[in-house]
Amino acid sequence: MTINIPDLEPNLNPAPIQANDDVTSNWDEQSVASSTQSLTGSIMEHVYENGRRYHLKSKEQYLLPSDETEQDRLDMVHHLHLELLRGNLTLTKFDEDPATVLDCGCGTGIWALEFGDTYKGSQVIGIDLAPIQPGWTAPNVKFELDDLEKKWTYAKNHFNFIHSRHLTMSIRNWPQYLLQIYKHSAPGGRIEIVEHCNDRYFCDDNTMPDDSPIPAYFRAVQPCYEKLGINSRLHGADYKKMVEEAGFVDVNLYSFKVPAGPWARDPKMRRLGAICAELISTGAEAYAFKMLTDVGGMTEDEARKVVEDVAASFLNRHQHAYYMEYFVTARKPE
């Protein structure tokens, strides 16, 4: 099956996002609210800490919660990527339905289900640590619980397409993880690795001062990442290099700027920024609260202030912060 994706050239340095200086203008709050609310109805054992639910089996390895609030956020992340790719599930183009597909870290399963629905000739497996996928699936989609950093039990040279998205908090050994992806990809098989910067947010016009809660947030969480063995300083070129070193060819890196808030002049970018701000409203807590209290030694009140301050900053349209989304596409040699 051929999908219509606008031709995109690999881009390491996207152009600056133009800010909308008219802060009184209507940035379509109603439509953004409607689109975010429509996702809340989408699609074992847990423990409860600080008012959030965590999957018991994986909570020491994966510190993000697994409750409905987090599941809604994960579905919203999927929505963000659909907006970013103009409604497409991947940047990878297929001439025919890939026969066997693996979705690594499938979360709620929303990407796997939509991929299976779009590519009906594909057999899709979604794998994750936490059992938060729906009990019903399409005939060509199934979900499995496993640890991606342990030895894979799938057949080697098997998968025609492997998809991996936002696993920066899950994968400790990226070279080993990518080597397993290589071993279990079929000759000629395609992969797509999607990650984001997790050590800073950027600003091109000096509207984000050093004493802003945004850089303060990252200064607080960085020591926690290091203690946990998480390399949060990886960026697009790092992922591209590791994919090449794993043995893949035709490796391309696509870098996208995503405004962290509804401050951009362009309507599409402003909508992306509004979705991003909605994500951050719960994502800042999901990513940081447990780390700051359990690993960073902060009190609950101290951690709460860090989280609430940064969430409020992303709604400040005078601070033109953005983060980077990285897509790495590649192919295993025949």
Side-chain angles (χ1 to χ4, degrees):
M1 176 183 293
T2 301
I3 56 177
N4 296 319
I5 297 181
D7 290 330
L8 294 173
E9 293 297 327
N11 186 2
L12 299 180
N13 297 297
I17 305 170
Q18 297 297 316
N20 180 13
D21 295 325
D22 181 8
V23 297
T24 64
S25 66
N26 184 345
W27 52 275
D28 201 11
E29 290 181 70
Q30 189 171 4
S31 67
V32 170
S34 175
S35 68
T36 59
Q37 289 169 6
S38 66
L39 293 174
T40 59
S42 312
I43 337 216
M44 320 201 172
E45 194 171 2
H46 296 82
V47 293
Y48 293 84
E49 298 178 9
N50 308 316
R52 301 300 301 268
R53 189 186 73 180
Y54 296 83
H55 181 224
L56 180 61
K57 183 179 178 181
S58 57
K59 78 183 186 74
E60 298 305 325
Q61 180 174 348
Y62 182 72
L63 274 71
L64 274 68
S66 61
D67 52 21
E68 290 185 3
T69 299
E70 176 64 4
Q71 291 177 45
D72 288 343
R73 187 188 72 84
L74 293 175
D75 285 350
M76 184 75 73
V77 169
H78 177 71
H79 179 57
L80 177 79
H81 285 92
L82 289 178
E83 289 279 344
L84 197 62
L85 300 185
R86 304 173 192 176
N88 293 289
L89 290 166
T90 66
L91 270 178
T92 303
K93 299 179 182 180
F94 303 102
D95 294 326
E96 58 184 10
D97 294 7
T100 50
V101 178
L102 181 66
D103 183 21
C104 300
C106 65
T108 65
I110 189 170
W111 183 93
L113 288 167
E114 291 193 11
F115 193 93
D117 185 58
T118 303
Y119 301 93
K120 292 181 170 56
S122 300
Q123 295 296 316
V124 184
I125 297 175
I127 182 172
D128 203 278
L129 276 171
I132 58 174
Q133 301 76 37
W136 53 267
T137 66
N140 62 334
V141 179
K142 69 175 182 178
F143 298 112
E144 299 178 354
L145 299 178
D146 210 341
D147 185 345
L148 287 166
E149 290 208 291
K150 293 182 179 178
K151 186 176 181 180
W152 292 12
T153 57
Y154 302 113
K156 293 182 179 179
N157 301 311
H158 177 65
F159 291 103
N160 300 106
F161 181 57
I162 296 181
H163 175 259
S164 172
R165 184 168 73 186
H166 283 201
L167 298 186
T168 184
M169 293 288 289
S170 303
I171 302 301
R172 304 297 197 269
N173 189 337
W174 275 93
Q176 177 62 28
Y177 171 60
L178 292 169
L179 185 60
Q180 293 218 81
I181 289 178
Y182 182 87
K183 288 180 179 178
H184 295 273
S185 293
R190 311 292 294 276
I191 71 165
E192 186 162 312
I193 309 297
V194 185
E195 287 299 330
H196 60 88
C197 61
N198 202 30
D199 63 340
R200 76 192 80 165
Y201 272 40
F202 301 90
C203 179
D204 292 336
D205 58 7
N206 298 316
T207 56
M208 182 177 68
D210 290 339
D211 60 355
S212 165
I214 299 173
Y217 171 89
F218 288 102
R219 286 194 295 268
V221 298
Q222 278 303 323
C224 302
Y225 286 136
E226 293 171 3
K227 289 180 181 179
L228 293 168
I230 297 172
N231 187 352
S232 64
R233 300 184 187 277
L234 295 172
H235 289 263
D238 302 308
Y239 292 110
K240 181 176 185 287
K241 180 180 178 182
M242 289 188 292
V243 168
E244 291 171 336
E245 290 174 344
F248 289 97
V249 297
D250 296 340
V251 183
N252 287 309
L253 168 64
Y254 302 83
S255 300
F256 296 88
K257 291 181 176 181
V258 179
W263 53 264
R265 181 183 302 169
D266 177 74
K268 173 182 169 62
M269 298 301 287
R270 189 161 64 248
R271 179 173 174 77
L272 279 173
I275 296 171
C276 182
E278 180 73 15
L279 283 168
I280 292 167
S281 67
T282 59
E285 179 186 62
Y287 269 78
F289 194 86
K290 184 174 174 61
M291 280 200 306
L292 293 176
T293 55
D294 291 7
V295 182
M298 286 190 178
T299 65
E300 289 188 19
D301 288 342
E302 290 171 335
R304 185 74 61 192
K305 186 176 189 311
V306 171
V307 167
E308 290 179 351
D309 285 352
V310 75
S313 289
F314 286 117
L315 295 176
N316 180 356
R317 297 173 66 194
H318 296 288
Q319 291 191 47
H320 302 152
Y322 65 88
Y323 77 95
M324 300 298 300
E325 280 279 352
Y326 306 114
F327 289 70
V328 178
T329 63
R331 176 179 62 84
K332 184 174 180 176
E334 294 287 350

PDB file of all heavy atoms in Angstrom, residues 62-84:
ATOM      1  N   TYR A  62      10.650   1.661  34.967  1.00  0.00           N
ATOM      2  CA  TYR A  62       9.950   2.691  34.212  1.00  0.00           C
ATOM      3  C   TYR A  62       9.160   3.522  35.201  1.00  0.00           C
ATOM      4  O   TYR A  62       8.169   3.069  35.758  1.00  0.00           O
ATOM      5  CB  TYR A  62       9.022   2.026  33.187  1.00  0.00           C
ATOM      6  CG  TYR A  62       8.270   2.992  32.303  1.00  0.00           C
ATOM      7  CD1 TYR A  62       8.929   3.713  31.312  1.00  0.00           C
ATOM      8  CD2 TYR A  62       6.901   3.171  32.443  1.00  0.00           C
ATOM      9  CE1 TYR A  62       8.241   4.591  30.486  1.00  0.00           C
ATOM     10  CE2 TYR A  62       6.202   4.047  31.622  1.00  0.00           C
ATOM     11  CZ  TYR A  62       6.878   4.747  30.654  1.00  0.00           C
ATOM     12  OH  TYR A  62       6.192   5.612  29.843  1.00  0.00           O
ATOM     13  N   LEU A  63       9.616   4.751  35.436  1.00  0.00           N
ATOM     14  CA  LEU A  63       9.097   5.538  36.541  1.00  0.00           C
ATOM     15  C   LEU A  63       7.847   6.333  36.208  1.00  0.00           C
ATOM     16  O   LEU A  63       7.315   7.021  37.058  1.00  0.00           O
ATOM     17  CB  LEU A  63      10.178   6.498  37.066  1.00  0.00           C
ATOM     18  CG  LEU A  63      11.129   5.897  38.110  1.00  0.00           C
ATOM     19  CD1 LEU A  63      12.066   4.885  37.480  1.00  0.00           C
ATOM     20  CD2 LEU A  63      11.909   6.984  38.815  1.00  0.00           C
ATOM     21  N   LEU A  64       7.356   6.234  34.989  1.00  0.00           N
ATOM     22  CA  LEU A  64       6.146   6.976  34.648  1.00  0.00           C
ATOM     23  C   LEU A  64       4.913   6.199  35.101  1.00  0.00           C
ATOM     24  O   LEU A  64       4.932   4.968  35.154  1.00  0.00           O
ATOM     25  CB  LEU A  64       6.069   7.239  33.142  1.00  0.00           C
ATOM     26  CG  LEU A  64       6.792   8.494  32.642  1.00  0.00           C
ATOM     27  CD1 LEU A  64       8.304   8.334  32.786  1.00  0.00           C
ATOM     28  CD2 LEU A  64       6.456   8.772  31.185  1.00  0.00           C
ATOM     29  N   PRO A  65       3.826   6.894  35.455  1.00  0.00           N
ATOM     30  CA  PRO A  65       2.614   6.204  35.917  1.00  0.00           C
ATOM     31  C   PRO A  65       1.923   5.452  34.792  1.00  0.00           C
ATOM     32  O   PRO A  65       2.297   5.573  33.611  1.00  0.00           O
ATOM     33  CB  PRO A  65       1.741   7.348  36.452  1.00  0.00           C
ATOM     34  CG  PRO A  65       2.247   8.571  35.760  1.00  0.00           C
ATOM     35  CD  PRO A  65       3.697   8.352  35.494  1.00  0.00           C
ATOM     36  N   SER A  66       0.905   4.666  35.141  1.00  0.00           N
ATOM     37  CA  SER A  66       0.150   3.899  34.147  1.00  0.00           C
ATOM     38  C   SER A  66      -1.348   4.111  34.305  1.00  0.00           C
ATOM     39  O   SER A  66      -2.139   3.331  33.785  1.00  0.00           O
ATOM     40  CB  SER A  66       0.477   2.399  34.277  1.00  0.00           C
ATOM     41  OG  SER A  66       0.115   1.920  35.564  1.00  0.00           O
ATOM     42  N   ASP A  67      -1.741   5.153  35.024  1.00  0.00           N
ATOM     43  CA  ASP A  67      -3.164   5.379  35.292  1.00  0.00           C
ATOM     44  C   ASP A  67      -3.853   5.998  34.073  1.00  0.00           C
ATOM     45  O   ASP A  67      -3.249   6.209  33.024  1.00  0.00           O
ATOM     46  CB  ASP A  67      -3.341   6.253  36.536  1.00  0.00           C
ATOM     47  CG  ASP A  67      -2.524   7.542  36.469  1.00  0.00           C
ATOM     48  OD1 ASP A  67      -2.152   7.951  35.349  1.00  0.00           O
ATOM     49  OD2 ASP A  67      -2.258   8.138  37.523  1.00  0.00           O
ATOM     50  N   GLU A  68      -5.143   6.287  34.210  1.00  0.00           N
ATOM     51  CA  GLU A  68      -5.915   6.799  33.083  1.00  0.00           C
ATOM     52  C   GLU A  68      -5.400   8.162  32.621  1.00  0.00           C
ATOM     53  O   GLU A  68      -5.425   8.469  31.421  1.00  0.00           O
ATOM     54  CB  GLU A  68      -7.392   6.886  33.458  1.00  0.00           C
ATOM     55  CG  GLU A  68      -8.056   5.524  33.612  1.00  0.00           C
ATOM     56  CD  GLU A  68      -9.540   5.640  33.875  1.00  0.00           C
ATOM     57  OE1 GLU A  68     -10.058   6.783  33.875  1.00  0.00           O
ATOM     58  OE2 GLU A  68     -10.189   4.599  34.071  1.00  0.00           O
ATOM     59  N   THR A  69      -4.938   8.976  33.567  1.00  0.00           N
ATOM     60  CA  THR A  69      -4.385  10.284  33.186  1.00  0.00           C
ATOM     61  C   THR A  69      -3.181  10.110  32.269  1.00  0.00           C
ATOM     62  O   THR A  69      -3.042  10.807  31.259  1.00  0.00           O
ATOM     63  CB  THR A  69      -3.983  11.082  34.440  1.00  0.00           C
ATOM     64  OG1 THR A  69      -5.134  11.297  35.250  1.00  0.00           O
ATOM     65  CG2 THR A  69      -3.369  12.423  34.069  1.00  0.00           C
ATOM     66  N   GLU A  70      -2.305   9.162  32.598  1.00  0.00           N
ATOM     67  CA  GLU A  70      -1.130   8.913  31.774  1.00  0.00           C
ATOM     68  C   GLU A  70      -1.517   8.266  30.445  1.00  0.00           C
ATOM     69  O   GLU A  70      -0.937   8.573  29.400  1.00  0.00           O
ATOM     70  CB  GLU A  70      -0.143   8.026  32.529  1.00  0.00           C
ATOM     71  CG  GLU A  70       1.094   7.605  31.735  1.00  0.00           C
ATOM     72  CD  GLU A  70       1.993   8.763  31.335  1.00  0.00           C
ATOM     73  OE1 GLU A  70       1.735   9.919  31.729  1.00  0.00           O
ATOM     74  OE2 GLU A  70       2.972   8.498  30.611  1.00  0.00           O
ATOM     75  N   GLN A  71      -2.499   7.386  30.466  1.00  0.00           N
ATOM     76  CA  GLN A  71      -2.944   6.766  29.220  1.00  0.00           C
ATOM     77  C   GLN A  71      -3.531   7.807  28.271  1.00  0.00           C
ATOM     78  O   GLN A  71      -3.312   7.758  27.057  1.00  0.00           O
ATOM     79  CB  GLN A  71      -3.951   5.661  29.516  1.00  0.00           C
ATOM     80  CG  GLN A  71      -3.328   4.451  30.214  1.00  0.00           C
ATOM     81  CD  GLN A  71      -4.347   3.391  30.561  1.00  0.00           C
ATOM     82  OE1 GLN A  71      -5.194   3.039  29.755  1.00  0.00           O
ATOM     83  NE2 GLN A  71      -4.282   2.867  31.776  1.00  0.00           N
ATOM     84  N   ASP A  72      -4.275   8.762  28.829  1.00  0.00           N
ATOM     85  CA  ASP A  72      -4.790   9.861  28.003  1.00  0.00           C
ATOM     86  C   ASP A  72      -3.644  10.674  27.410  1.00  0.00           C
ATOM     87  O   ASP A  72      -3.699  11.109  26.251  1.00  0.00           O
ATOM     88  CB  ASP A  72      -5.694  10.770  28.829  1.00  0.00           C
ATOM     89  CG  ASP A  72      -7.032  10.129  29.155  1.00  0.00           C
ATOM     90  OD1 ASP A  72      -7.386   9.133  28.495  1.00  0.00           O
ATOM     91  OD2 ASP A  72      -7.723  10.616  30.073  1.00  0.00           O
ATOM     92  N   ARG A  73      -2.587  10.880  28.217  1.00  0.00           N
ATOM     93  CA  ARG A  73      -1.437  11.633  27.715  1.00  0.00           C
ATOM     94  C   ARG A  73      -0.749  10.869  26.580  1.00  0.00           C
ATOM     95  O   ARG A  73      -0.366  11.467  25.563  1.00  0.00           O
ATOM     96  CB  ARG A  73      -0.432  11.892  28.839  1.00  0.00           C
ATOM     97  CG  ARG A  73       0.719  12.819  28.427  1.00  0.00           C
ATOM     98  CD  ARG A  73       1.800  12.890  29.493  1.00  0.00           C
ATOM     99  NE  ARG A  73       2.565  11.651  29.558  1.00  0.00           N
ATOM    100  CZ  ARG A  73       3.588  11.365  28.772  1.00  0.00           C
ATOM    101  NH1 ARG A  73       3.989  12.216  27.838  1.00  0.00           N
ATOM    102  NH2 ARG A  73       4.240  10.227  28.897  1.00  0.00           N
ATOM    103  N   LEU A  74      -0.608   9.552  26.724  1.00  0.00           N
ATOM    104  CA  LEU A  74       0.028   8.758  25.682  1.00  0.00           C
ATOM    105  C   LEU A  74      -0.784   8.805  24.383  1.00  0.00           C
ATOM    106  O   LEU A  74      -0.221   8.889  23.287  1.00  0.00           O
ATOM    107  CB  LEU A  74       0.198   7.312  26.151  1.00  0.00           C
ATOM    108  CG  LEU A  74       1.191   7.086  27.298  1.00  0.00           C
ATOM    109  CD1 LEU A  74       1.160   5.628  27.751  1.00  0.00           C
ATOM    110  CD2 LEU A  74       2.601   7.486  26.884  1.00  0.00           C
ATOM    111  N   ASP A  75      -2.103   8.758  24.508  1.00  0.00           N
ATOM    112  CA  ASP A  75      -2.943   8.878  23.318  1.00  0.00           C
ATOM    113  C   ASP A  75      -2.811  10.267  22.701  1.00  0.00           C
ATOM    114  O   ASP A  75      -2.854  10.434  21.478  1.00  0.00           O
ATOM    115  CB  ASP A  75      -4.401   8.596  23.666  1.00  0.00           C
ATOM    116  CG  ASP A  75      -4.679   7.112  23.871  1.00  0.00           C
ATOM    117  OD1 ASP A  75      -3.784   6.293  23.549  1.00  0.00           O
ATOM    118  OD2 ASP A  75      -5.773   6.763  24.343  1.00  0.00           O
ATOM    119  N   MET A  76      -2.625  11.272  23.554  1.00  0.00           N
ATOM    120  CA  MET A  76      -2.435  12.636  23.058  1.00  0.00           C
ATOM    121  C   MET A  76      -1.087  12.767  22.333  1.00  0.00           C
ATOM    122  O   MET A  76      -0.983  13.484  21.327  1.00  0.00           O
ATOM    123  CB  MET A  76      -2.506  13.630  24.208  1.00  0.00           C
ATOM    124  CG  MET A  76      -2.419  15.068  23.779  1.00  0.00           C
ATOM    125  SD  MET A  76      -3.929  15.657  23.030  1.00  0.00           S
ATOM    126  CE  MET A  76      -4.974  15.795  24.481  1.00  0.00           C
ATOM    127  N   VAL A  77      -0.063  12.068  22.821  1.00  0.00           N
ATOM    128  CA  VAL A  77       1.227  12.050  22.123  1.00  0.00           C
ATOM    129  C   VAL A  77       1.039  11.492  20.716  1.00  0.00           C
ATOM    130  O   VAL A  77       1.607  12.001  19.736  1.00  0.00           O
ATOM    131  CB  VAL A  77       2.259  11.216  22.916  1.00  0.00           C
ATOM    132  CG1 VAL A  77       3.511  10.972  22.073  1.00  0.00           C
ATOM    133  CG2 VAL A  77       2.640  11.924  24.213  1.00  0.00           C
ATOM    134  N   HIS A  78       0.244  10.438  20.611  1.00  0.00           N
ATOM    135  CA  HIS A  78      -0.050   9.861  19.300  1.00  0.00           C
ATOM    136  C   HIS A  78      -0.743  10.899  18.412  1.00  0.00           C
ATOM    137  O   HIS A  78      -0.416  11.046  17.227  1.00  0.00           O
ATOM    138  CB  HIS A  78      -0.933   8.628  19.479  1.00  0.00           C
ATOM    139  CG  HIS A  78      -1.354   7.988  18.200  1.00  0.00           C
ATOM    140  ND1 HIS A  78      -0.466   7.299  17.386  1.00  0.00           N
ATOM    141  CD2 HIS A  78      -2.565   7.928  17.569  1.00  0.00           C
ATOM    142  CE1 HIS A  78      -1.109   6.846  16.325  1.00  0.00           C
ATOM    143  NE2 HIS A  78      -2.383   7.220  16.408  1.00  0.00           N
ATOM    144  N   HIS A  79      -1.677  11.612  18.990  1.00  0.00           N
ATOM    145  CA  HIS A  79      -2.386  12.671  18.253  1.00  0.00           C
ATOM    146  C   HIS A  79      -1.402  13.753  17.791  1.00  0.00           C
ATOM    147  O   HIS A  79      -1.499  14.256  16.657  1.00  0.00           O
ATOM    148  CB  HIS A  79      -3.465  13.263  19.158  1.00  0.00           C
ATOM    149  CG  HIS A  79      -4.251  14.372  18.546  1.00  0.00           C
ATOM    150  ND1 HIS A  79      -4.947  14.247  17.370  1.00  0.00           N
ATOM    151  CD2 HIS A  79      -4.458  15.665  18.955  1.00  0.00           C
ATOM    152  CE1 HIS A  79      -5.552  15.386  17.074  1.00  0.00           C
ATOM    153  NE2 HIS A  79      -5.259  16.262  18.015  1.00  0.00           N
ATOM    154  N   LEU A  80      -0.451  14.115  18.639  1.00  0.00           N
ATOM    155  CA  LEU A  80       0.563  15.102  18.267  1.00  0.00           C
ATOM    156  C   LEU A  80       1.350  14.643  17.047  1.00  0.00           C
ATOM    157  O   LEU A  80       1.609  15.424  16.126  1.00  0.00           O
ATOM    158  CB  LEU A  80       1.505  15.351  19.445  1.00  0.00           C
ATOM    159  CG  LEU A  80       2.666  16.324  19.177  1.00  0.00           C
ATOM    160  CD1 LEU A  80       2.164  17.763  19.247  1.00  0.00           C
ATOM    161  CD2 LEU A  80       3.801  16.127  20.156  1.00  0.00           C
ATOM    162  N   HIS A  81       1.725  13.364  17.031  1.00  0.00           N
ATOM    163  CA  HIS A  81       2.507  12.861  15.906  1.00  0.00           C
ATOM    164  C   HIS A  81       1.672  12.798  14.621  1.00  0.00           C
ATOM    165  O   HIS A  81       2.198  13.025  13.533  1.00  0.00           O
ATOM    166  CB  HIS A  81       3.097  11.489  16.238  1.00  0.00           C
ATOM    167  CG  HIS A  81       4.256  11.558  17.166  1.00  0.00           C
ATOM    168  ND1 HIS A  81       4.116  11.467  18.534  1.00  0.00           N
ATOM    169  CD2 HIS A  81       5.586  11.746  16.949  1.00  0.00           C
ATOM    170  CE1 HIS A  81       5.305  11.577  19.113  1.00  0.00           C
ATOM    171  NE2 HIS A  81       6.210  11.752  18.165  1.00  0.00           N
ATOM    172  N   LEU A  82       0.399  12.503  14.739  1.00  0.00           N
ATOM    173  CA  LEU A  82      -0.463  12.548  13.563  1.00  0.00           C
ATOM    174  C   LEU A  82      -0.525  13.971  13.005  1.00  0.00           C
ATOM    175  O   LEU A  82      -0.495  14.180  11.787  1.00  0.00           O
ATOM    176  CB  LEU A  82      -1.869  12.063  13.912  1.00  0.00           C
ATOM    177  CG  LEU A  82      -2.028  10.564  14.190  1.00  0.00           C
ATOM    178  CD1 LEU A  82      -3.474  10.256  14.562  1.00  0.00           C
ATOM    179  CD2 LEU A  82      -1.601   9.732  12.983  1.00  0.00           C
ATOM    180  N   GLU A  83      -0.616  14.956  13.899  1.00  0.00           N
ATOM    181  CA  GLU A  83      -0.604  16.356  13.462  1.00  0.00           C
ATOM    182  C   GLU A  83       0.725  16.688  12.792  1.00  0.00           C
ATOM    183  O   GLU A  83       0.777  17.349  11.759  1.00  0.00           O
ATOM    184  CB  GLU A  83      -0.834  17.279  14.652  1.00  0.00           C
ATOM    185  CG  GLU A  83      -2.242  17.262  15.216  1.00  0.00           C
ATOM    186  CD  GLU A  83      -3.191  18.133  14.406  1.00  0.00           C
ATOM    187  OE1 GLU A  83      -2.711  18.963  13.612  1.00  0.00           O
ATOM    188  OE2 GLU A  83      -4.412  17.972  14.574  1.00  0.00           O
ATOM    189  N   LEU A  84       1.814  16.217  13.383  1.00  0.00           N
ATOM    190  CA  LEU A  84       3.148  16.519  12.881  1.00  0.00           C
ATOM    191  C   LEU A  84       3.358  15.914  11.494  1.00  0.00           C
ATOM    192  O   LEU A  84       3.974  16.545  10.613  1.00  0.00           O
ATOM    193  CB  LEU A  84       4.198  15.982  13.858  1.00  0.00           C
ATOM    194  CG  LEU A  84       5.620  16.500  13.751  1.00  0.00           C
ATOM    195  CD1 LEU A  84       5.671  17.995  13.996  1.00  0.00           C
ATOM    196  CD2 LEU A  84       6.526  15.776  14.750  1.00  0.00           C
TER     197      LEU A  84
END
